[in-house]
């Protein structure tokens, strides 16, 4: 007979069955057939890798101009990938324990429905920040592409070009009645990131940006590669904050958990860790090649550091711009959905949806015209929002779920108790939650002080 593929057990414990609203376990004819993990791994890899990695070279430059700092920086990137993967796995475990079907639902079932607005607010805010970061990238790369093709006049100015793209391209895309056609453009984003990583490595080893190289001569003085020996350890928190944006995919953890066939925590971990480690490899590659090419002058959007006449960089800018333009309406849709949910609007009219599109495009493009420092946006938002969504909230949900299981077990008659204890994972979650709060707050403060004051200079 066909078997249910999701026994609700975690760490040897039994839990209540799923509610009717939860996805029901699949039944397969002839028994359970294990779907290959490679497809899931690639999908998660696509969800993790994004434009956030383009600011990481600047994260290293924020605290040092010395190449000797690359090794500890790469080590940090790998450690953050592993911890991020662990927290991603925690969300899957919470879903496994209590049948939660979304990030916010996992909070509601473990901590309480009354405060479930908190992760909803954080995730919705993060999507708005992402739209702003996308607008900055579109403005910067669009201007570089325009320069490469000799565009002058009105469209030769960055802000004019950004306003035009926002009005003629982004707004119509955000006004679409369905975004299903854009869902397939995620492959374009992965292709653009991989291409960018390859060309950056090539340019470094080729040496055309080194002193005496053909592109080195084309760069203005304030963009020429610069290396020294200065190190300001406290500013390494900026890199740590940026690394949060590089591994930010945790809101979708419940979706990946429930889509697995068959479903188990052992298989889920076999999906999570390879995906995050593969992402870490790309992160390290882009971060190191960019810094080794430009050193202390690595731009907040590393593609801005390359000469406008560099054809390989032009292709990278075009590919990245196309990916960002196609991704913007998808991220906007996430923001709009979250904003309506927080406001308690269950069935918004089309007019209200369209008004949200006009307002969001205008707001994010306007911010991008005034503040075009992607590095600051990535570090400040990564510190406050990224650390909460990636580390603090999953750890809190796990602790609450375990605490509930322990108390329920103790409430049973003596002969039915399973002897459930808090265990090492509970202690680890306590440490992650505490450290995430501290690093998040200090990282945001350091990012702000570096950007708007001279205290850290």
């Amino acid at each position: 007979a066909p078997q249910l593929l999701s026994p609700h057990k975690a760490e040897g414990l039994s839990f209540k069955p799923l509610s009717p609203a939860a996805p029901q376990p699949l039944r397969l004819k002839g028994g359970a057939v294990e779907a290959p993990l490679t497809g899931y791994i690639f999908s998660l890899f696509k969800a993790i890798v994004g434009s956030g990695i383009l600011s990481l070279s600047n994260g290293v430059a924020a605290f040092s101009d010395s190449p000797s700092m690359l090794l500890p920086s790469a080590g940090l990137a790998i450690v953050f990938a592993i911890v991020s993967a662990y927290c991603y796995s925690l969300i899957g475990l919470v879903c496994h324990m209590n049948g939660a079907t979304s990030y916010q639902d996992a909070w509601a079932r473990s901590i309480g429905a009354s405060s479930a607005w908190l992760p909803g607010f954080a995730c919705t805010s993060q999507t708005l920040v992402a739209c702003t970061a996308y607008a900055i990238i579109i403005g910067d790369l669009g201007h570089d592409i325009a320069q490469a093709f000799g565009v002058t006049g009105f469209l030769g100015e960055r802000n004019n070009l950004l306003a035009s793209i926002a009005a003629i391209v982004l707004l119509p895309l955000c006004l679409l009645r369905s975004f299903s056609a854009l869902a397939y453009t995620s492959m374009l984003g992965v292709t653009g990131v991989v291409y960018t990583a390859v060309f950056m490595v090539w340019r470094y080893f080729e040496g055309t940006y080194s002193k005496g190289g053909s592109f080195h001569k084309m760069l203005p003085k304030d963009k020429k590669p610069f290396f020294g020996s200065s190190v300001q350890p406290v500013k390494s928190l900026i890199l740590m904050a940026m690394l949060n944006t590089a591994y930010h995919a945790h809101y979708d953890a419940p979706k990946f958990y429930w889509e697995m066939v068959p479903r188990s925590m052992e298989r889920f971990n076999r999906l999570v860790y390879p995906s995050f480690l593969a992402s870490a490899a790309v992160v390290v590659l882009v971060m190191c090649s960019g810094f080794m090419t430009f050193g202390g002058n690595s731009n907040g959007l590393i593609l801005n550091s390359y000469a406008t006449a560099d054809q390989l960089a032009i292709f990278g800018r075009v590919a990245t711009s196309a990916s960002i333009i196609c991704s913007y309406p998808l991220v906007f849709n996430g923001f709009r959905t979250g904003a309506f949910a927080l406001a308690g609007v269950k069935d918004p009219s089309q007019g209200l949806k369209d008004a949200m599109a006009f307002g969001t495009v205008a707001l994010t493009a306007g911010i991008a015209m005034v503040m075009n420092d992607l590095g600051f946006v990535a570090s400040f938002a990564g510190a406050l929002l990224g650390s909460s969504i990636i580390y603090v909230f999953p750890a809190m949900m796990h602790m609450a779920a375990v605490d509930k299981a322990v108390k329920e077990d103790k409430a049973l008659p003596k002969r039915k108790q399973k002897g459930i204890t808090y265990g090492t994972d509970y202690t680890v979650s306590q440490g992650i939650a505490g450290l995430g709060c501290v690093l998040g707050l200090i990282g945001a403060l350091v990012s702000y002080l570096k950007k708007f004051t001279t205290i850290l200079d």
Side-chain angles (χ1 to χ4, degrees):
Q3 298 295 314
L4 292 178
L5 299 184
S6 179
H8 277 256
K9 296 181 179 180
E11 298 178 341
L13 311 180
S14 296
F15 296 89
K16 294 180 180 180
L18 294 178
S19 68
Q24 297 303 305
L26 300 177
R27 294 177 180 270
L28 301 180
K29 293 182 179 180
V33 177
E34 184 170 325
L37 279 174
T38 51
Y40 294 119
I41 291 173
F42 183 68
S43 295
L44 181 52
F45 173 78
K46 286 195 299 179
I48 298 169
V49 174
S51 59
I53 68 174
L54 299 178
S55 62
L56 294 178
S57 299
N58 177 257
V60 181
F63 77 94
S64 178
D65 52 22
S66 171
S68 65
M69 287 295 102
L70 267 185
L71 185 58
S73 298
L76 268 180
I78 295 171
V79 168
F80 269 68
I82 294 172
V83 177
S84 296
Y86 180 82
C87 292
Y88 195 98
S89 177
L90 284 183
I91 301 171
L93 178 58
V94 171
C95 294
H96 195 73
M97 294 170 70
N98 59 27
T101 60
S102 68
Y103 192 98
Q104 202 163 343
D105 188 33
W107 179 285
R109 293 185 184 224
S110 56
I111 295 177
S114 62
S115 58
W117 63 269
L118 182 59
F121 176 79
C123 292
T124 300
S125 300
Q126 182 64 37
T127 54
L128 181 61
V129 171
C131 285
T132 304
Y134 284 177
I136 292 173
I137 294 172
I138 291 169
D140 285 357
L141 297 187
H143 180 245
D144 287 344
I145 294 169
Q147 282 189 320
F149 286 96
V151 177
T152 58
F154 180 82
L155 293 180
E157 297 293 328
R158 177 189 181 275
N159 286 352
N160 294 340
L161 181 61
L162 174 56
S164 301
I165 295 174
I168 299 172
V169 181
L170 296 182
L171 181 58
L173 287 175
C174 290
L175 291 172
L176 289 174
R177 298 301 182 253
S178 172
F179 299 102
S180 56
L182 295 174
Y184 299 99
T185 61
S186 60
M187 189 62 198
L188 178 61
V190 175
T191 303
V193 168
V194 172
Y195 170 81
T196 300
V198 171
F199 107 74
M200 288 175 65
V201 172
W202 174 263
R203 283 297 187 229
Y204 166 65
F205 284 107
E206 189 185 38
T208 48
Y209 283 90
S210 300
K211 191 172 183 179
S214 56
F215 291 122
H216 184 275
K217 301 174 183 177
M218 298 181 184
L219 297 174
K221 187 176 181 180
D222 61 341
K223 284 191 174 183
K224 290 186 185 296
F226 174 77
F227 298 94
S229 58
S230 66
V231 179
Q232 294 176 285
V234 68
K235 291 186 180 180
S236 64
L237 288 165
I238 295 174
L239 173 62
M240 295 182 194
M242 289 180 177
L243 286 169
N244 291 338
T245 64
Y247 302 118
H248 192 282
H250 292 60
Y251 192 74
D252 279 339
K255 181 189 76 172
F256 276 93
Y257 173 75
W258 287 112
E259 286 182 352
M260 293 192 70
V261 179
R263 192 179 304 120
S264 70
M265 281 309 302
E266 187 271 335
R267 289 197 81 229
F268 188 66
N269 287 333
R270 283 165 51 202
L271 154 68
V272 171
Y273 286 97
S275 302
F276 274 86
L277 290 176
S279 302
V282 177
V283 163
V284 170
L285 201 62
V286 171
M287 178 180 70
C288 292
S289 58
F291 184 81
M292 287 301 292
T293 303
F294 298 102
N297 273 337
S298 298
N299 194 277
L301 173 57
I302 194 60
L303 288 173
N304 285 346
S305 293
Y306 292 86
T308 55
D310 185 342
Q311 290 189 348
L312 293 184
I314 292 173
F315 289 134
R317 290 172 180 133
V318 170
T320 302
S321 298
S323 168
I324 294 297
I325 288 173
C326 291
S327 298
Y328 184 100
L330 297 175
V331 177
F332 156 74
N333 189 45
F335 164 70
R336 181 171 63 183
T337 301
F340 284 146
L342 287 172
V345 181
K346 295 183 178 180
D347 189 20
S349 65
Q350 190 58 54
L352 190 56
K353 291 181 180 179
D354 291 346
M356 181 72 82
F358 277 97
T360 304
V361 171
L363 175 65
T364 55
I367 294 174
M369 291 178 188
V370 177
M371 181 182 295
N372 60 355
D373 186 350
L374 180 65
F376 170 73
V377 173
S379 61
F380 189 80
L384 284 183
L385 298 173
S387 60
S388 298
I389 297 168
I390 296 174
Y391 310 116
V392 180
F393 292 165
M396 290 176 64
M397 289 188 283
H398 175 247
M399 287 188 292
V402 172
D403 184 61
K404 183 178 180 180
V406 170
K407 290 179 178 178
E408 287 180 351
D409 183 61
K410 289 182 178 180
L412 293 173
K414 200 77 172 177
R415 66 179 183 278
K416 293 184 178 181
Q417 290 182 7
K418 300 180 182 296
I420 301 173
T421 59
Y422 288 97
T424 305
D425 285 349
Y426 186 89
T427 305
V428 172
S429 290
Q430 287 180 313
I432 290 175
L435 188 61
C437 288
V438 172
L439 290 180
L441 292 174
I442 296 177
L445 178 62
V446 170
S447 297
Y448 176 84
L449 293 177
K450 180 180 181 296
K451 175 67 178 177
F452 297 106
T453 73
T454 57
I455 294 175
L456 300 178
D457 292 342

